[in-house]
Amino acid sequence: MEKLIVNSYEEFASHLGEKLGESEWLLVDQERINLFADATLDHQWIHVDTERAKVESPYKSTIAHGYLTLSLLPYLWEQVIEVNNIKMLVNYGMDKMRFGQAVVTGSRVRLVASLHNIQNLRGICKAEVAFKIEIENQRKPALEGIASFLYYFQ
């Protein structure tokens, strides 16, 4: 699917209730998980100890941190939409966020997003995006919820 290009609040609002797009698949490998563990100081064995995970984990492998999966949202979101003519973009909040399934190391994930709600707050565009981070060849998503962004159009 091709990236959606939006140049104004009105163009953005015209997509209310629609699927905005989906990102490319992204590999979640052990190196990415280890780097996230280092950045967040979360070195729980189920994420970083591959030998122990083979034996003790119900997944027989390490898994990505749930918050690593969430942290991929901005990168994947940029593949879905390009919003032009803005001074600034602010991550505003998350609602109804649920982790549905673990991301086993070596899996690929992607973002599927739709425009859930949009408001003009005195010139600031508040976009609420329903998102799912899907795992390739899995029925249940890794993560879903509603992300709120504030776009300051020029």
Side-chain angles (χ1 to χ4, degrees), residues 17-33:
E18 295 178 4
K19 178 178 174 181
L20 299 174
E22 55 194 42
S23 70
E24 297 292 322
W25 291 104
L26 176 70
L27 177 66
V28 180
D29 59 10
Q30 192 62 53
E31 181 182 9
R32 185 179 311 278
I33 292 168

Side-chain angles (χ1 to χ4, degrees), residues 16-67:
L16 181 61
E18 295 178 4
K19 178 178 174 181
L20 299 174
E22 55 194 42
S23 70
E24 297 292 322
W25 291 104
L26 176 70
L27 177 66
V28 180
D29 59 10
Q30 192 62 53
E31 181 182 9
R32 185 179 311 278
I33 292 168
N34 291 345
L35 288 169
F36 188 84
D38 290 344
T40 60
L41 307 176
D42 181 355
H43 293 93
Q44 188 180 161
W45 69 265
I46 199 155
H47 304 304
V48 297
D49 190 334
T50 57
E51 293 308 310
R52 183 175 176 187
K54 285 178 191 174
V55 176
E56 295 183 40
S57 167
Y59 307 102
K60 302 300 178 205
S61 173
T62 53
I63 60 171
H65 304 70
Y67 290 123

